[in-house]
Amino acid sequence: MASVHESLYFNPMMTNGVVHANVFGIKDWVTPYKISVLALLYEMTASKLTLPERRRLNKLILPLQQGPDLTLDQFLKTVEECCPQTAYAVKVRLRDMADGELKDMEYFFSTLTTPFTAFDTEAYKTSVVGLFMRHMLLAYNKLSFSQVYKLYKSLQHYYHSHYAKPADGQVGLPALAADDSEMDLTSTEDTVDRIDKEELDIPLHESELRNDNTTTKGPLSQKQAEYFLARQAYLLKNDENKALKPAALQEELNNMLKFNPDFAEAHYLNYLNSMRVQDIFLSAHSLLHYFDRLILSGNEGKSNGDEGYGRSLRYAALNLASLHCRFGHYQQADLALQEAIRIAQESSDHVCLQHCLSWLYTLEQMKGSDSTVLTEDSVKMAAHFCLPYLASLGIQSLVQQGATQGKTAHKLMDALKDTDILHWKHSLSELIEISLAQTTSIWRMYGKSTMALQQAQLLLNMSSLEPVNFGVQQNNTEAFAVALCHLAELHAEQGLYSVVSEILQHLKEQFPPHTQQAKLWMLCDLKVQFERHMNEGKCHLAEPLVTAISALNKTEGLYRKAQVLKALNRSTEAYSILQRLQVYCEKTKCAEIVIRVMLCTAELHWESSGFSTALPLLLQALALARQHHLQSLASETVLHLAFTQLMLGVPEQALSVLHEAIEPVLAHGSVMDKGRALLLTARCQMAVAGFRPNGPGQADLHLAALAVDTLNEAAAYFSKLNCKERLRDVHYLQAQLHRSLGQTSQCNKSAMLFRLLDQELQSPAPPVSMRL
């Protein structure tokens, strides 16, 4: 690592043996900020630094040279983070020049030649630092006396503005930017006039976004602008939190476009920034401007002739289609996609056509249509034209469709295994992450929580194959968000809410609310809160969450609303919602929600003692769960069947059915499912033993003892969730069992616990026989 950063001093930037000084992104004029950088370099070469300090400063040099000018406060803070002593030395040197006379600045530039001409210096003439210092000396030596005086005055203003208060009435550093043009080695007389003219040509919506309280900044050089855009684009892709805030970035881009409205890359970054805040108008406007400027600049045409212009047009239409897809404008997306396909066909651009086909089946999926045939065709054609990225995306899409259509797990995992080989072969890091997140989701859907947890941890602990630039790891993609949300829900199922809070806090920091991935953790957070309140019997707290869930996912919101209404004994309204939801989910082929709706409807039948009516519904739900290999839902359905059989008077059959479902529930189920299963098992054991709460008869003591142990385990699970209503039921049954067994002390203890919970809840206990 040290050798890489030390190359800033030792290794020349050469291409075919020729040193290029213009690759460093340096302004063509001397500014007070550049004098500060020179002072930093002087102190670094003249003073003794420890190896860690020198390494940190070496990493800082290139961003300081290539980046935009900083205020003195920002500059000193940046240097102080690396080496406080060097920052103080730089501050003292700038103070000596600013508080002294013009000859002090002259003396500083005259002593600059010493560090890199000395025999034992580190800054060689052909290094990054050496070339920068030579370039600044050349620019300074070409200044006239009046320009040197203006530079000195600018330096004084630059230094004293660091300490001056806003009320002092000073103009501020950016106001002197116009004077820099007089110190430019390549300046022309009409620079200021051209800037003023271009300022009037700014689009209305961009001028409105500019903060009127901020002063206008001077222009950046081409290389500085390219460095700034590349850095921000990389941060937006890999770690949005380290990028500028949307408003600050918009202000910088507006300032950049004011001086160069035809800067195509700035329009594209403006498009990415607008997507962050879901601004459809500005994002579409910037995207169209990007391709307009790209064509007008002639960059494509110079390299590819007339074909370059057509290439920009068809990819512009394709990007516009993807933009409308993201905002849910399917009709506009379809029109833009057809336009891109038409232009690509006229030009025989097979690569563009493959991208269009990929977006075509994606658009059909978003509409809710069956796109299996289109996806298969896309995979075949992508493989034919050697496009592994598109082929892998197509296979992953087929796997997702297969999971919802009831394909067996081994077929889906075999397909993902084949794509993983392709990903590692071509180092497709992003697709590797998507594959692991998809595997996590599939195992979770099948009810294999242990396997889902393993795949999520594998993704979170995987080292990215992407190069690490600007000290940023690629860890803010949608795949990471999905994996973390699964982890949060899995921990919530086990009652580990403190861990869930930590995971959600990390998600909130990593994915701010204005990002697209924020919807994932928002929905996850609401679902966790809803389930927790429902488990604790706090329907009044769960009810307000339904509206927020519906805003993010209408289907989930309707299902949660029906659950709340059922808990509030508003059965008619709940039944109406469930029927509408079942019809909708059957049309969209969402088997998981259909099964949950059937189970909830069966519970409504229980409340009216319609156990025989619920039985066909439960059998239908079990068949559907097994058809789609949804083990978790199948086990839950079996629990409902066992409860129905118990209520119909066949506890032996219910206990036999329970033995089939109890193992997967205890292995992969949530704490609530485990507690409910054990509570139901205990009730079946009591019924088989011939236990009569208030009636005569001799119970089977062995089964009664087993029922006591089972109830103790169920109580432990319910205690984890603070599920007091269920605990009340458990203590009620325990008191009756201990009483029949002649265990007076245990009976009194259970009765006391029941009494305390009953007084605390202050609500009548629902009949134990009417709920699972």
Side-chain angles (χ1 to χ4, degrees):
M1 180 66 73
S3 61
V4 174
H5 301 300
E6 287 166 2
S7 65
L8 297 173
Y9 288 91
F10 293 108
N11 298 336
M13 297 290 291
M14 303 185 66
T15 304
N16 297 327
V18 181
V19 178
H20 296 281
N22 61 346
V23 299
F24 304 116
I26 306 166
K27 277 187 175 179
D28 295 327
W29 57 77
V30 184
T31 64
Y33 170 70
K34 294 300 180 186
I35 295 177
S36 303
V37 177
L38 288 173
L40 171 63
L41 296 175
Y42 182 88
E43 296 298 335
M44 288 178 61
T45 55
S47 58
K48 298 295 183 180
L49 300 173
T50 63
L51 183 60
E53 291 175 340
R54 184 171 298 280
R55 185 173 300 164
R56 289 194 296 267
L57 289 171
N58 287 345
K59 293 172 66 177
L60 187 63
I61 289 174
L62 203 57
L64 289 177
Q65 292 183 18
Q66 291 185 329
D69 289 2
L70 304 175
T71 64
L72 182 58
D73 184 50
Q74 294 172 334
F75 175 75
L76 292 177
K77 283 183 178 179
T78 304
V79 178
E80 191 174 0
E81 291 176 357
C82 300
C83 181
Q85 295 178 352
T86 304
Y88 177 75
V90 171
K91 183 178 178 180
V92 170
R93 186 164 294 276
L94 291 175
R95 183 193 62 192
D96 293 341
M97 287 188 284
D99 293 342
E101 300 177 355
L102 181 60
K103 64 180 182 180
D104 295 313
M105 189 179 72
E106 285 279 354
Y107 177 76
F108 172 72
F109 276 95
S110 66
T111 56
L112 274 180
T113 55
T114 304
F116 68 89
T117 54
F119 178 76
D120 58 345
T121 184
E122 295 180 355
Y124 290 101
K125 295 181 179 181
T126 55
S127 67
V128 173
V129 173
L131 285 170
F132 173 76
M133 297 172 76
R134 291 169 61 191
H135 188 86
M136 289 294 101
L137 281 173
L138 177 63
Y140 179 78
N141 291 332
K142 286 191 176 184
L143 296 178
S144 63
F145 179 78
S146 61
Q147 291 173 335
V148 171
Y149 181 74
K150 287 186 177 181
L151 175 62
Y152 178 68
K153 285 295 184 182
S154 298
L155 178 62
Q156 285 184 318
H157 187 277
Y158 180 74
Y159 179 80
H160 291 297
S161 63
H162 171 57
Y163 301 99
K165 298 180 180 179
D168 293 340
Q170 297 184 1
V171 181
L173 173 63
L176 297 172
D179 293 336
D180 291 338
S181 61
E182 297 184 10
M183 292 175 273
D184 188 354
L185 296 178
T186 59
S187 63
T188 57
E189 295 180 357
D190 62 339
T191 302
V192 179
D193 295 336
R194 177 176 57 81
I195 292 173
D196 293 339
K197 180 180 181 297
E198 290 177 355
E199 186 174 3
L200 298 175
D201 295 334
I202 301 175
L204 177 62
H205 68 277
E206 292 184 359
S207 63
E208 290 174 348
L209 287 172
R210 186 183 296 118
N211 188 353
D212 294 333
N213 296 326
T214 59
T215 54
T216 304
K217 298 182 180 180
L220 302 176
S221 69
Q222 180 74 15
K223 290 297 180 181
Q224 277 186 317
E226 290 177 356
Y227 175 82
F228 173 78
L229 295 177
R231 176 184 175 85
Q232 293 301 317
Y234 183 86
L235 292 176
L236 287 180
K237 178 179 182 293
N238 295 293
D239 195 348
E240 191 173 324
N241 292 329
K242 293 187 179 180
L244 289 177
K245 300 297 182 183
L249 182 56
Q250 183 69 55
E251 181 186 349
E252 294 289 340
L253 292 172
N254 287 345
N255 179 65
M256 193 177 297
L257 291 171
K258 179 189 69 173
F259 293 105
N260 187 3
D262 296 329
F263 199 2
E265 288 78 5
H267 284 289
Y268 189 77
L269 186 60
N270 203 3
Y271 155 71
L272 295 178
N273 190 42
S274 303
M275 294 286 283
R276 297 167 69 187
V277 294
Q278 306 296 311
D279 189 339
I280 176 63
F281 171 76
L282 188 55
S283 56
H285 180 88
S286 301
L287 182 63
L288 294 176
H289 269 286
Y290 165 70
F291 284 102
D292 288 344
R293 298 311 193 273
L294 197 64
I295 294 173
L296 291 175
S297 63
N299 292 336
E300 292 285 344
K302 289 178 183 177
S303 59
N304 300 320
D306 294 336
E307 171 61 20
Y309 299 108
R311 185 175 185 274
S312 294
L313 287 174
R314 54 183 175 266
Y315 277 101
L318 182 59
N319 277 272
L320 190 61
S322 68
L323 174 66
H324 286 300
C325 274
R326 180 167 181 175
F327 285 101
H329 304 157
Y330 300 138
Q331 185 176 1
Q332 294 90 328
D334 189 55
L335 292 174
L337 200 54
Q338 295 301 326
E339 179 70 11
I341 292 173
R342 183 185 62 80
I343 302 175
Q345 287 176 338
E346 291 176 355
S347 305
S348 299
D349 189 345
H350 299 290
V351 175
C352 183
L353 282 173
Q354 281 308 114
H355 282 280
C356 291
L357 185 55
S358 297
W359 274 108
L360 191 60
Y361 73 70
T362 303
L363 181 60
E364 292 300 319
Q365 288 179 11
M366 290 180 173
K367 291 179 180 178
S369 305
D370 187 9
S371 60
T372 305
V373 177
L374 279 175
T375 311
E376 291 176 351
D377 291 341
S378 175
V379 172
K380 292 176 183 177
M381 297 303 294
H384 176 73
F385 291 108
C386 298
L387 300 172
Y389 190 92
L390 293 179
S392 296
L393 277 179
I395 294 174
Q396 289 177 345
S397 179
L398 285 173
V399 168
Q400 183 176 349
Q401 295 178 53
T404 57
Q405 293 172 0
K407 300 291 184 181
T408 55
H410 69 88
K411 292 183 178 180
L412 301 181
M413 296 305 164
D414 286 344
L416 287 176
K417 182 189 67 175
D418 295 338
T419 59
D420 286 341
I421 295 174
L422 195 63
H423 300 158
W424 289 105
K425 179 180 179 181
H426 296 278
S427 298
L428 301 175
S429 177
E430 186 177 358
L431 292 184
I432 293 173
E433 296 167 3
I434 294 175
S435 177
L436 288 172
Q438 193 174 45
T439 307
T440 303
S441 301
I442 290 174
W443 282 124
R444 182 96 193 283
M445 184 188 70
Y446 284 151
K448 305 291 185 180
S449 60
T450 306
M451 294 300 298
L453 186 64
Q454 181 192 46
Q455 292 297 310
Q457 293 287 0
L458 184 62
L459 171 59
L460 297 176
N461 289 281
M462 187 187 72
S463 299
S464 175
L465 299 179
E466 295 290 332
V468 179
N469 297 323
F470 309 111
V472 173
Q473 293 281 359
Q474 185 178 357
N475 60 354
N476 74 328
T477 58
E478 185 179 7
F480 278 90
V482 170
L484 286 170
C485 287
H486 281 306
L487 276 181
E489 292 181 358
L490 287 170
H491 282 86
E493 289 178 356
Q494 302 306 316
L496 305 173
Y497 293 111
S498 59
V499 180
V500 174
S501 299
E502 294 180 8
I503 296 174
L504 289 173
Q505 182 61 33
H506 175 72
L507 279 166
K508 293 174 183 178
E509 295 173 356
Q510 195 69 26
F511 304 94
H514 58 76
T515 59
Q516 186 183 19
Q517 286 81 9
K519 293 181 180 179
L520 296 172
W521 63 257
M522 287 178 181
L523 182 59
C524 173
D525 188 14
L526 290 170
K527 287 164 67 176
V528 168
Q529 292 183 50
F530 181 88
E531 293 297 336
R532 183 176 186 178
H533 292 323
M534 292 297 290
N535 290 339
E536 295 176 357
K538 300 176 181 178
C539 299
H540 62 286
L541 296 178
E543 190 172 7
L545 300 175
V546 172
T547 305
I549 295 176
S550 300
L552 297 171
N553 190 315
K554 186 177 179 181
T555 305
E556 290 284 349
L558 281 174
Y559 175 67
R560 291 321 194 271
K561 185 177 181 180
Q563 283 186 306
V564 171
L565 291 174
K566 183 174 71 69
L568 295 174
N569 295 322
R570 295 161 61 179
S571 304
T572 305
E573 298 176 51
Y575 183 79
S576 176
I577 292 175
L578 289 172
Q579 291 304 303
R580 287 191 286 112
L581 185 58
Q582 183 174 347
V583 171
Y584 172 77
C585 292
E586 286 175 350
K587 287 182 180 179
T588 57
K589 298 180 180 179
C590 186
E592 188 174 357
I593 300 296
V594 170
I595 297 170
R596 293 191 182 278
V597 168
M598 289 180 176
L599 296 181
C600 196
T601 306
E603 292 174 2
L604 287 176
H605 289 304
W606 292 346
E607 293 181 0
S608 58
S609 300
F611 298 104
S612 58
T613 310
L615 199 57
L617 199 61
L618 292 174
L619 291 174
Q620 185 182 354
L622 181 60
L624 191 60
R626 288 177 174 173
Q627 177 186 345
H628 288 80
H629 308 283
L630 306 177
Q631 178 181 290
S632 176
L633 288 175
S635 300
E636 189 173 352
T637 307
V638 170
L639 293 181
H640 281 69
L641 277 171
F643 178 79
T644 305
Q645 290 174 331
L646 175 63
M647 293 298 101
L648 290 174
V650 281
E652 296 84 1
Q653 184 65 29
L655 194 58
S656 174
V657 170
L658 268 178
H659 288 159
E660 176 188 347
I662 196 70
E663 184 176 343
V665 169
L666 294 177
H668 302 284
S670 65
V671 172
M672 176 57 89
D673 289 338
K674 293 175 184 177
R676 291 165 64 194
L678 291 173
L679 177 58
L680 180 59
T681 303
R683 292 181 60 189
C684 289
Q685 291 171 343
M686 292 169 62
V688 172
F691 175 77
R692 298 289 184 272
N694 298 315
Q698 187 67 30
D700 188 334
L701 296 181
H702 175 68
L703 280 177
L706 286 178
V708 170
D709 295 337
T710 307
L711 286 174
N712 290 334
E713 292 183 43
Y717 285 124
F718 290 138
S719 298
K720 286 186 179 180
L721 297 177
N722 194 28
C723 189
K724 295 179 180 179
E725 288 190 354
R726 303 278 181 177
L727 280 172
R728 180 171 58 180
D729 296 343
V730 171
H731 293 319
Y732 175 76
L733 294 176
Q734 283 179 329
Q736 289 188 336
L737 270 176
H738 289 306
R739 178 186 171 189
S740 66
L741 294 174
Q743 300 170 347
T744 307
S745 60
Q746 291 91 335
C747 175
N748 292 336
K749 180 181 178 181
S750 298
M752 181 191 67
L753 293 174
F754 169 80
R755 179 67 175 171
L756 291 174
L757 286 174
D758 192 56
Q759 290 177 345
E760 181 181 351
L761 292 173
Q762 294 182 350
S763 60
V768 181
S769 60
M770 292 302 170
R771 71 174 182 180
L772 174 58

